[in-house]
Amino acid sequence: MQPAIADNHGKLVGTWKLVSYEMEVQATGAREAPLGANPSGYILFTADGRLMVVLTGEGRKAAASDQDRAELLKSLVAYTGLYRVEGGKWIAKVDVAHNPAWVGTEQARSFKLDGERLEESTALMNRPDKGMVRWVLNWMRVK
């Protein structure tokens, strides 16, 4: 393992609390909050190489019906897998996820560390209604 990679791995290890979750539209730079202004979530990086993520949207309420339970899935992101660090990216080999289509895939995220703050971003992807977008998440280390 290269020292810089090992260094970044060690700096990620721990528990981080979600500060913001935004979708950035490449064409305009506009940012939207698809999970609301105050989503909740945590990301955990273990020293032995496991990542766990749970994100929930703002204002979720207990479900009273099957329709309510189905709607709650629209405001949930959850996955786990083994991860590796390659420079300024982590790559998780997903083994459990809220979306079964993610299982067996690699989810790569760019990241920047600034003290106790972590910024994560996805690669650009095409959304038919928005064009090219990426998701930008900000985290604060939990002490």
Side-chain angles (χ1 to χ4, degrees):
M1 201 183 296
Q2 298 171 350
I5 293 171
D7 210 31
N8 276 341
H9 182 276
K11 290 177 184 174
L12 285 173
V13 170
T15 303
W16 302 80
K17 184 176 181 173
L18 186 66
V19 175
S20 65
Y21 177 91
E22 298 175 310
M23 181 179 64
E24 181 181 72
V25 180
Q26 182 185 31
T28 64
R31 289 194 175 192
E32 301 174 13
L35 293 179
N38 296 299
S40 299
Y42 287 91
I43 187 168
L44 287 75
F45 295 91
T46 67
D48 63 348
R50 179 156 296 273
L51 165 142
M52 295 183 194
V53 179
V54 177
L55 306 172
T56 59
E58 176 181 40
R60 288 168 49 101
K61 298 196 181 351
S65 68
D66 286 344
Q67 180 63 36
D68 291 346
R69 281 183 277 288
E71 285 297 314
L72 284 172
L73 290 176
K74 293 179 183 177
S75 62
L76 170 69
V77 177
Y79 66 98
T80 186
L82 297 178
Y83 76 97
R84 65 186 186 277
V85 175
E86 295 179 359
K89 287 187 178 184
W90 72 71
I91 298 110
K93 174 77 172 173
V94 178
D95 51 23
V96 177
H98 74 289
N99 180 349
W102 284 21
V103 175
T105 68
E106 289 193 336
Q107 295 292 316
R109 305 290 187 262
S110 295
F111 71 93
K112 295 177 192 168
L113 286 162
D114 182 12
E116 301 300 297
R117 293 192 158 287
L118 169 65
E119 181 182 274
E120 166 192 359
S121 60
T122 67
L124 287 168
M125 55 194 77
N126 190 29
R127 290 271 310 254
D129 59 333
K130 302 282 183 189
M132 299 302 286
V133 301
R134 70 179 182 141
W135 279 259
V136 179
L137 294 80
N138 285 284
W139 306 90
M140 180 67 74
R141 186 180 296 277
V142 175
K143 296 195 184 215

